[in-house]
Amino acid sequence: MIPVVRRNTELGLILLVIIITAGTYTLASLGTTSDLPADIGPFLGIVLALLAGAHVATRHLAPGGDGVLLPIAGLLNGLGYVWIARLDEDLAGLQATWTAVGITAFVGTLALVRRTRDLERYRYTFMLVGVGLLLLPLVPVVGKTVNGARIWVELGPISFQPGEFAKIILAVFFASYLVDKRELLGMAANRIGPLTLPNLRHFGPVLLAWAASLLVMTAQRDLGSSLLFFALFVVMLWVATERASYLAVSGLLFAGGAFAAWSVFAHVQQRIAIWLDPWSDVTDQGFQVVQATFALAWGGVAGTGPGLGNPDRIPLIETDFIFVAIGEELGLLGSTGIIVAYLLMVGTGLRIALRAETPFNKLLATGLTTILGIQSFIIIGGVTRLVPLTGITLPFVSYGGSSLIANYILLALLIRISDDNASAGVGADRRAGAAP
Amino acid sequence: MPESLLTILKLCALALLYLFFLRVLRAVWAEVASTRTAAAAVPQAPPGRVSAPRRSAGRREKASSHLTVMEPAEQKGRSFTLADELTVGRAAGCQITLDDNYVSQLHARVFLRDGMLYVEDLGSTNGTYLNSHKVSSPVAFKRGDRLKIGSTVMELTS
């Protein structure tokens, strides 16, 4: 019953996504060249094939999986592609390839992970792989520094960002580790005011996660990922133990670490200075952020129209600043739409976590949702100057193979968990159906 | 192409975008509302109604079944009430936690399907035995059957 309804919802939404993507693609072409796009036929065919392929695979592999996640991801991916194609045709071809690989990874994950508890059993393997991937860019020969951050790995012809995959693998490890240790970690030892503090030695894992994220921040100069990893661990720890004191202590640790980094590292000071006052150095350090602010202002409520703005003035527009390109050409309404899409995804992810039957599934769904939510918050907040700018990709929208593939794997895991929930709830469903 | 036409088309695209979100919200709402009525309906359903005979039989069996430890001797008599699904293993997340080196973290699962109890091995290292037969796929678990996990033997009692 639930599976049929969910899959038909998904199909309906996917058709709408295809119409929106193709329509915006046509509009962007009309805006830039005042002509219909020459390749609209193949474009429609590829979008249709990719989304239909993912949909058919879900029908077979996870029939009870949630029906709104895939369409929302498809919408974000499609809109991202439209703007990448409008800004840089070479990148567009690559992004199309990455999308195809991403959808394949999505189907592959659904096919490979038939039960999430299979993941739970390899927790220490996942820990080693996760930490290994995280630290891989620091290895002398394979690691590569791009734009000041050492987050790339080059193996022969392939270069990728292992951190994008590490975040998912570490979420799996944290979930299985915390399921095992949550009672121990949640035990109350001391009370200070309204806070119940667990035994001091149980803060060991927090300190370890903190040290690891500081290492990522200092050695790889990747502020965004550092914040993402630490926040992921702390949120999962809080959800597993139901102890708010972990949040408080971690918040203090984070503030301390951030302050220390600010006083020691020039690149952190620079970021903060640009955040507080980009206008003092408009032509150099503040250029990117100031141009982004102008672009968003120029867009107004409904935007200049796809293809009619000048987002190509902003450096890194296809990756970190893609949100601004959409904000300029679709205005406040369009950029709000992107935020609404992430809110709906996060809401759906948390609903899946609430419904999850086993503690592991609950924690894993929470962790994966946290990744999506925090990552989009960090970068959208960064380009709109709500928080200091840290380079990180906007999930599903930004140009980037590693990011796109990793996020499709994340999506597949969430859908797998919701499929588990649906098949566990079959009994409850039948009860409800029998009641008058 | 006139600019006014482009503006109209752009507004159409934005309208479609928000139509998409409305449809997502409607789908979510339909699900939340249906589970809410389902949750409300369960306690109201009188037990043993003709419309749901299979289910109520299953519930009655579930309510009265226990797993009672027979071996080792020092644990004898310890008893677990069966729910819709129970996991047995060494991990703290299991409903039945056995502190035994021969038990895997997640060892086996006892679950109710269509009013029948089943045992399934979850890929344990040392195996699960039902009446001395190794459990390789889910098998029916009946009253009086003996389940051996590691060095613990449990019997299904009422």
Side-chain angles (χ1 to χ4, degrees):
Chain A
M1 183 60 190
I2 282 188
V4 179
V5 173
R6 283 185 164 173
R7 293 283 73 76
N8 292 343
T9 309
E10 186 175 86
L11 186 60
L13 290 173
I14 280 179
L15 289 178
L16 199 50
V17 165
I18 293 172
I19 296 171
I20 296 173
T21 311
T24 330
Y25 187 68
T26 315
L27 269 180
S29 170
L30 284 175
T32 44
T33 64
S34 66
D35 215 344
L36 285 172
D39 57 349
I40 185 70
F43 175 81
L44 256 179
I46 291 171
V47 173
L48 193 71
L50 285 174
L51 284 174
H55 171 69
V56 170
T58 322
R59 253 181 210 270
H60 281 94
L61 296 167
D66 191 273
V68 304
L69 283 175
L70 181 64
I72 299 178
L75 176 78
L76 290 171
N77 193 346
L79 287 181
Y81 178 82
V82 168
W83 264 272
I84 292 165
R86 173 237 177 288
L87 290 161
D88 188 331
E89 280 182 17
D90 297 338
L91 286 186
L94 284 169
Q95 180 78 346
T97 316
W98 296 134
T99 307
V101 178
I103 299 262
T104 315
F106 172 84
V107 176
T109 309
L110 281 181
L112 216 64
V113 185
R114 302 311 291 262
R115 303 181 304 185
T116 43
R117 60 169 178 265
D118 293 339
L119 296 174
E120 195 175 358
R121 297 177 51 188
Y122 301 108
R123 70 181 70 166
Y124 291 108
T125 317
F126 277 118
M127 181 190 76
L128 286 176
V129 173
V131 172
L133 282 176
L134 198 55
L135 300 181
L136 199 58
L138 296 176
V139 177
V141 183
V142 292
K144 204 171 63 159
T145 306
V146 177
N147 293 331
R150 198 179 170 91
I151 50 174
W152 283 87
V153 162
E154 207 172 39
L155 288 173
I158 313 162
S159 55
F160 65 106
Q161 290 185 356
E164 291 284 348
F165 299 98
K167 65 187 187 188
I168 299 174
I169 291 173
L170 286 177
V172 174
F173 164 68
F174 291 158
S176 56
Y177 169 80
L178 289 170
V179 164
D180 217 25
K181 300 276 190 281
R182 68 197 160 126
E183 281 168 26
L184 193 69
L185 293 170
M187 259 185 322
N190 316 301
R191 285 190 73 89
I192 299 177
L195 285 179
T196 314
L197 280 182
N199 200 322
L200 273 184
R201 64 199 164 103
H202 295 153
F203 282 102
V206 182
L207 286 173
L208 213 65
W210 181 63
S213 68
L214 278 187
L215 182 74
V216 169
M217 179 160 75
T218 56
Q220 305 186 349
R221 295 190 156 207
D222 189 2
L223 304 176
S225 303
S226 156
L227 176 59
L228 178 63
F229 285 118
F230 190 58
L232 169 68
F233 181 74
V234 171
V235 168
M236 289 182 76
L237 185 62
W238 170 52
V239 171
T241 59
E242 298 174 41
R243 291 255 173 256
S245 54
Y246 279 119
L247 278 185
V249 171
S250 312
L252 287 177
L253 275 176
F254 175 75
F259 182 76
W262 176 76
S263 36
V264 175
F265 298 107
H267 70 279
V268 180
Q269 278 170 11
Q270 200 183 53
R271 292 290 174 90
I272 302 282
I274 295 170
W275 172 52
L276 292 174
D277 183 15
W279 306 97
S280 58
D281 193 4
V282 173
T283 49
D284 187 25
Q285 298 296 345
F287 181 74
Q288 200 180 19
V289 174
V290 167
Q291 286 297 326
T293 312
F294 275 126
L296 287 174
W298 185 237
V301 174
T304 59
L308 294 171
N310 298 304
D312 39 3
R313 287 166 188 268
I314 307 165
L316 289 182
I317 186 73
E318 297 91 355
T319 52
D320 295 356
F321 278 74
I322 190 100
F323 180 77
V324 175
I326 299 177
E328 178 175 357
E329 300 195 337
L330 281 184
L332 181 67
L333 288 173
S335 45
T336 311
I338 301 287
I339 297 176
V340 169
Y342 286 113
L343 281 177
L344 286 170
M345 272 185 132
V346 168
T348 307
L350 292 180
R351 211 154 41 83
I352 292 173
L354 272 178
R355 295 266 175 84
E357 298 275 320
T358 64
F360 175 73
N361 276 356
K362 221 179 237 319
L363 271 175
L364 183 59
T366 313
L368 297 175
T369 310
T370 308
I371 294 177
L372 259 184
I374 292 193
Q375 188 166 346
S376 36
F377 173 79
I378 291 176
I379 187 62
I380 294 180
V383 298
T384 53
R385 274 187 65 213
L386 181 66
V387 293
L389 174 67
T390 57
I392 202 165
T393 55
L394 187 59
F396 295 108
V397 183
S398 286
Y399 168 76
S402 313
S403 164
L404 206 51
I405 297 167
N407 284 315
Y408 268 114
I409 293 175
L410 187 156
L411 196 72
L413 289 177
L414 273 179
I415 288 181
R416 170 55 71 216
I417 295 172
S418 70
D419 181 46
D420 275 7
N421 297 350
S423 50
V426 167
D429 204 41
R430 212 176 286 156
R431 267 202 297 277
Chain B
M1 180 146 296
E3 205 164 301
S4 53
L5 183 59
L6 278 180
T7 309
I8 292 168
L9 287 176
K10 174 189 76 188
L11 292 175
C12 290
L14 282 169
L16 274 178
L17 186 68
Y18 280 88
L19 177 70
F20 172 82
F21 292 133
L22 274 180
R23 291 198 49 185
V24 169
L25 275 179
R26 215 178 57 185
V28 172
W29 178 249
E31 260 192 39
V32 173
S34 82
T35 35
R36 196 170 290 165
T37 47
V42 171
Q44 283 163 9
R49 279 283 295 239
V50 196
S51 56
R54 274 200 317 181
R55 196 65 215 175
S56 55
R59 285 174 76 81
R60 213 177 293 130
E61 173 166 9
K62 184 191 79 180
S64 56
S65 294
H66 297 272
L67 270 177
T68 311
V69 176
M70 311 304 281
E71 282 174 41
E74 61 265 29
Q75 297 257 8
K76 191 168 172 156
R78 199 174 154 201
S79 149
F80 304 94
T81 310
L82 286 177
D84 273 347
E85 180 179 305
L86 274 181
T87 46
V88 187
R90 199 145 50 90
C94 294
Q95 280 81 26
I96 300 184
T97 310
L98 297 174
D99 185 21
D100 177 346
N101 286 335
Y102 293 99
V103 175
S104 300
Q105 291 285 343
L106 253 180
H107 197 110
R109 180 166 87 108
V110 179
F111 60 96
L112 195 68
R113 190 77 14 119
D114 297 329
M116 289 277 288
L117 273 172
Y118 293 88
V119 182
E120 181 188 13
D121 186 78
L122 300 179
S124 65
T125 315
N126 295 310
T128 303
Y129 296 85
L130 189 65
N131 299 333
S132 311
H133 293 290
K134 188 161 183 171
V135 176
S136 47
S137 56
V139 286
F141 192 16
K142 292 182 285 299
R143 203 151 295 169
D145 283 350
R146 287 197 163 204
L147 183 68
K148 183 164 184 282
I149 292 173
S151 48
T152 307
V153 177
M154 289 180 280
E155 191 179 295
L156 186 63
T157 52
S158 45

